[in-house]
Amino acid sequence: MLPPRNPDETLKARGAESRPDGRFEPYQRIRESDGWDIPEDSHLLKTEVVTEKPRSIITRNNSPDIGFDRSINPYRGCEHGCIYCYARPSHSYLGLSPGLDFETKITAKPEAARLLEREIARPSYRVAPIALGTNTDPYQPVEAKLAIMPGILRVLRDWNHPLTLVTRGRTVLRDLDLWAEMAAKDQAAVGISVTTLDAKLARSLEPRAPTPQTRLQMIGELSKAGVPVRVMVAPVIPVLTEPEIEAILTAAREAGASTASMIPLRLPHEVAPLFRDWLERNRPGMAAHVMNRVQAMRGGRDNDPRFGHRFRGAGAEAELAKQRFRLARKRLGYREGSPPLDCSRFGPPPRAGDQLSLF
């Protein structure tokens, strides 16, 4: 059972409604009445942004489930507030709640571009595509003001370093010229996640993310600019969004997406009780049905963290969804897999005073 909502706070467009303690906290905070029947002043809960000065910006991984070994995340936490976000548990490492804190207490890394250039300039560095947006969205609302991404993109452009992006933030179009410039050299690809085409459901699931129609427009503008776009049907939520697999693929293909992927719903650590709470608040009549179907894909549990199963699911439920996806993708003419990115031109940009090459 999650803790009750703080009655002193007014929530507007938030996914979670409480602050359950993270899994590393030794104590649990519980609100208790002091016996005084005095109403407290209510205030609107606003987003807070603090800055972080990390020593490095590139994160490495060796997971067999994902197709990259390095990534950059300019932010911790995400104001989009998607209730199902698998990154919510990462706020526990900061001593913050994966609930409301994840979507209202954001950490930004304004020095990301400088750190990035320092790291890729090392003689020991070996180039491979860098993935952006693997934990939280680099184009979440606060990016419109802080503008950390343009600096990162310029460094990667100048060094001819390939990159990929996963986002649902419309601010990506602000940097369309940079993405188009890198895509023209086969050094950039963008993934746009579309969970549902139902604007009302999206507003509830992803309260501060762009509408489904806006995301389709993003696919169209990126594609017209020559940027390869992958539509990510993710997460596929049984009962709620699973019936839309074919419709999402069709709409995205018409908008200009060239490749497609899907991921069934994942509920790691604290995400499971948060999602269950959302179901009881927003879809009480189908909450049990949704979770039964989720568990049918996860070996009878809310989540299956094993390598090889996290992003695919298992069992008849998962296999049926995958078959529907594969058939629709083939029928609509999507490419199999994303085009390879060019790493051959990676190198330091020319500087003033450099000796010119004779050849």
Side-chain angles (χ1 to χ4, degrees), residues 7-272:
D8 305 339
E9 294 176 337
T10 300
L11 305 183
K12 183 177 181 181
R14 300 297 182 184
E17 283 213 347
S18 62
R19 288 187 179 81
D21 293 304
R23 61 193 181 282
F24 303 119
E25 301 304 309
Y27 304 106
Q28 183 178 9
R29 292 167 292 183
I30 301 176
R31 293 181 62 87
E32 292 286 350
S33 172
D34 60 7
W36 293 91
D37 189 19
I38 301 175
E40 299 285 345
D41 291 334
S42 180
H43 64 278
L44 179 66
L45 181 61
K46 298 182 179 180
T47 302
E48 302 174 18
V49 181
V50 298
T51 59
E52 177 183 353
K53 294 184 177 180
R55 289 178 292 180
S56 62
I57 198 66
I58 299 177
T59 300
R60 305 278 181 161
N61 81 84
N62 59 0
S63 170
D65 288 335
I66 50 182
F68 56 86
D69 67 354
R70 66 201 70 184
S71 60
I72 296 173
N73 286 285
Y75 300 97
R76 299 178 190 263
C78 186
E79 196 178 1
H80 283 157
C82 305
I83 191 60
Y84 52 73
C85 182
Y86 63 81
R88 283 182 177 271
S90 63
H91 247 43
S92 296
Y93 293 106
L94 306 177
L96 298 173
S97 171
L100 278 172
D101 286 351
F102 178 78
E103 50 194 284
T104 61
K105 297 182 183 297
I106 311 299
T107 300
K109 306 172 187 178
E111 294 294 308
R114 182 183 63 82
L115 292 170
L116 172 61
E117 184 155 31
R118 185 180 71 184
E119 291 178 51
I120 65 176
R122 290 171 180 160
S124 60
Y125 183 79
R126 297 295 177 265
V127 64
I130 287 181
L132 292 102
T134 57
N135 197 51
T136 59
D137 198 326
Y139 282 110
Q140 60 180 283
V142 68
E143 169 62 17
K145 177 180 179 180
L146 297 184
I148 297 175
M149 280 296 293
I152 293 175
L153 294 177
R154 291 188 188 103
V155 168
L156 296 174
R157 176 201 61 188
D158 293 346
W159 282 75
N160 282 307
H161 194 304
L163 75 157
T164 63
L165 169 73
V166 174
T167 187
R168 62 190 61 188
R170 194 180 187 282
T171 308
V172 66
L173 298 180
R174 176 201 62 194
D175 301 334
L176 186 58
D177 57 336
L178 290 167
W179 285 104
E181 185 177 350
M182 297 194 70
K185 299 184 291 183
D186 296 325
Q187 293 176 343
V190 174
I192 304 294
S193 60
V194 181
T195 312
T196 176
L197 297 177
D198 183 333
K200 185 176 180 180
L201 176 58
R203 174 70 170 173
S204 180
L205 278 170
E206 311 153 339
R208 298 201 174 198
T211 66
Q213 187 59 40
T214 298
R215 286 180 239 179
L216 293 175
Q217 292 172 356
M218 290 160 52
I219 291 174
E221 293 194 40
L222 286 162
S223 178
K224 289 177 183 176
V227 182
V229 181
R230 172 167 53 110
V231 60
M232 305 175 66
V233 188
V236 175
I237 305 174
V239 183
L240 285 181
T241 68
E242 181 189 0
E244 298 184 69
I245 290 175
E246 292 84 357
I248 293 172
L249 287 173
T250 300
R253 184 65 175 142
E254 292 174 351
S258 57
T259 58
S261 61
M262 66 162 278
I263 301 176
L265 178 67
R266 298 171 54 207
L267 299 174
H269 301 298
E270 295 94 337
V271 185

